[in-house]
Amino acid sequence: MAATIRDIRERTGLSLATISKYLNGGNVLPRNRELIEEAIDALHYEVNELARGLVTNRTKTIGVLVYDIQCFFVGNMLHHLGQELHKNGYGMLICDSCNDEEMEKANLQFLLSRKVDGILVFAVSLTGEFIKPAKKAGIPVVLIDRAFRGEEADCVEVDNRTALFRAAQMLIENGHHRIALIASNIEYTGLERRKGYEDALRKFEINVPDEYRVCGKHSFELGYEGMQRLLKLDPPPTAVILSNYDTTLGGILALNESGLNCPADISVIGFDDLLMSKIIRPKLWIVSQPMREMAAKAVEMLLARISREEQGGPLRVSFTAEMQEGRSIRKII
């Protein structure tokens, strides 16, 4: 049978009030603390977090809403978030919205019903209407990887627009003018990355056919089918930017199946420095997001809101993506 608070009382001789105060994070005399901790260790006592939550109004649980748990980027971010939360004594309750806005709303309500202390959000929705119940309940929310249109909220993201500008600029500096982009025209990240691509074309006064802009939803299929389509154009692009990890996977598979050589026949820049970039040959030039740092900052911001150390207006932290050097770009002279 599991040890109870009364077993601790019998072992220490202390009152239930003193033991309860310690278990709920209150200050007790140093000698009493030593006795209680010794008893907890000897009895293998486990704190009932649900019961303690009724007293402290804290469950030490953070809800995490994700747009698609199958996404490689999301999976890696969850790994880093879990580590950061564990360091701070918190657990994680994950809800997959399956790229469905109605499911996202239902998942938020589910997390609120579980009395989470705060919520980290990889949003499906482009607007923040669905998080209003959390705001009303006083539950802090921090967005990761994307911001909302017309709705201010704490946010940790990468400067997607600048990241794609720099990728396109690198290709232009290597003599490429026929540059194609495979990117989402639905999701926040894809829309921002497309803006960076267009910024670069405008700045360097380069015109490309509309067919060089392959749009859809970030996915393996978009990368695969988009690359197939681009390679059949006359003339085909000399370079392609694949704007997230899933499209990079699909695009590289289509390129391999075509029999063309990278970079001799076509240059490629991919996105996210995950496992694939370490095994593909030639090694890809990659736009790399600082995932560990983003996760750490998101957790720091959320815990500061929970503890009320941060009470100002919405914060927005934008990280810089780095270009990881590869051998997938050919210089055109």
Side-chain angles (χ1 to χ4, degrees):
M1 182 181 294
T4 69
I5 190 172
R6 287 178 172 78
D7 296 320
I8 297 176
R9 179 185 63 181
E10 291 178 9
R11 189 176 181 91
T12 63
L14 299 173
S15 70
L16 288 177
T18 298
I19 298 167
S20 178
K21 183 178 181 182
Y22 169 84
L23 293 176
N24 289 314
N27 292 319
V28 298
L29 294 173
R31 177 55 183 160
N32 291 344
R33 183 177 69 250
E34 290 175 12
L35 289 170
I36 295 168
E37 290 175 352
E38 179 187 341
I40 287 172
D41 185 57
L43 296 169
H44 305 291
Y45 176 81
E46 294 185 4
V47 176
N48 185 329
E49 292 290 356
L50 290 177
R52 183 161 71 175
L54 293 175
V55 177
T56 64
N57 203 29
R58 292 281 182 266
T59 62
K60 303 295 284 187
T61 303
I62 299 300
V64 187
L65 275 179
V66 302
Y67 51 81
D68 184 358
I69 204 165
Q70 294 185 101
C71 172
F72 287 96
F73 170 79
V74 168
N76 277 268
M77 285 296 292
L78 287 173
H79 169 73
H80 295 308
L81 289 169
Q83 288 185 321
E84 291 299 322
L85 289 169
H86 179 73
K87 286 179 192 175
N88 288 278
Y90 281 80
M92 189 166 60
L93 182 57
I94 303 166
C95 288
D96 184 4
S97 298
C98 301
N99 287 304
D100 184 298
E101 291 187 27
E102 290 304 314
M103 187 179 292
E104 185 172 59
K105 292 178 186 176
N107 283 340
L108 182 85
Q109 293 291 349
F110 172 82
L111 291 175
L112 293 177
S113 74
R114 292 304 181 270
K115 305 299 182 184
V116 295
D117 296 339
I119 303 175
L120 297 165
V121 178
F122 297 81
V124 179
S125 304
L126 292 176
T127 63
E129 186 70 24
F130 78 96
I131 68 166
K132 287 185 176 178
K135 289 185 175 182
K136 185 175 180 181
I139 303 300
V141 173
V142 173
L143 306 181
I144 303 177
D145 185 41
R146 51 196 67 192
F148 289 138
R149 289 176 179 166
E151 179 82 26
E152 290 297 320
D154 288 340
C155 174
V156 175
E157 62 174 353
V158 157
D159 185 348
N160 291 287
R161 189 167 184 167
T162 299
L164 255 290
F165 178 91
R166 292 176 61 203
Q169 181 180 28
M170 176 167 290
L171 291 169
I172 293 166
E173 289 173 349
N174 278 276
H176 292 271
H177 284 195
R178 302 205 315 264
I179 302 168
L181 174 70
I182 300 178
S184 174
N185 62 348
I186 300 169
E187 295 144 294
Y188 172 84
T189 52
L191 293 168
E192 289 297 301
R193 291 167 192 174
R194 286 183 66 205
K195 290 175 185 176
Y197 168 78
E198 299 294 346
D199 289 343
L201 296 184
R202 275 194 302 272
K203 178 173 181 178
F204 294 99
E205 299 181 343
I206 293 173
N207 293 311
V208 299
D210 288 341
E211 291 80 6
Y212 281 16
R213 300 169 176 88
V214 178
C215 302
K217 187 172 185 60
H218 277 152
S219 63
F220 175 90
E221 291 75 19
L222 177 65
Y224 182 78
E225 295 167 8
M227 182 66 82
Q228 285 183 323
R229 198 184 317 163
L230 289 170
L231 296 178
K232 292 175 183 176
L233 293 176
D234 185 18
T238 61
V240 179
I241 303 172
L242 297 153
S243 71
N244 90 325
Y245 187 75
D246 301 272
T247 58
T248 301
L249 280 176
I252 294 301
L253 179 59
L255 181 56
N256 289 343
E257 290 179 354
S258 74
L260 296 176
N261 180 271
C262 173
D265 298 311
I266 189 163
S267 296
V268 174
I269 294 179
F271 218 95
D272 286 332
D273 186 24
L274 300 174
L275 178 63
M276 178 196 63
S277 64
K278 296 173 174 58
I279 60 176
I280 286 177
R281 294 295 179 269
K283 183 180 178 182
L284 291 180
W285 275 91
I286 290 282
V287 180
S288 178
Q289 301 187 80
M291 298 183 193
R292 186 182 299 277
E293 292 82 357
M294 292 169 66
K297 176 54 70 173
V299 169
E300 177 189 318
M301 288 169 62
L302 187 64
L303 297 187
R305 291 297 191 189
I306 291 170
S307 67
R308 302 190 184 281
E309 291 177 22
E310 179 61 59
Q311 298 189 54
L315 302 173
R316 187 165 180 172
V317 177
S318 186
F319 284 85
T320 299
E322 300 295 331
M323 291 292 297
Q324 298 289 337
E325 185 174 352
R327 300 179 62 190
S328 60
I329 296 176
R330 176 172 70 95
K331 189 173 184 65
I332 296 178
I333 300 174

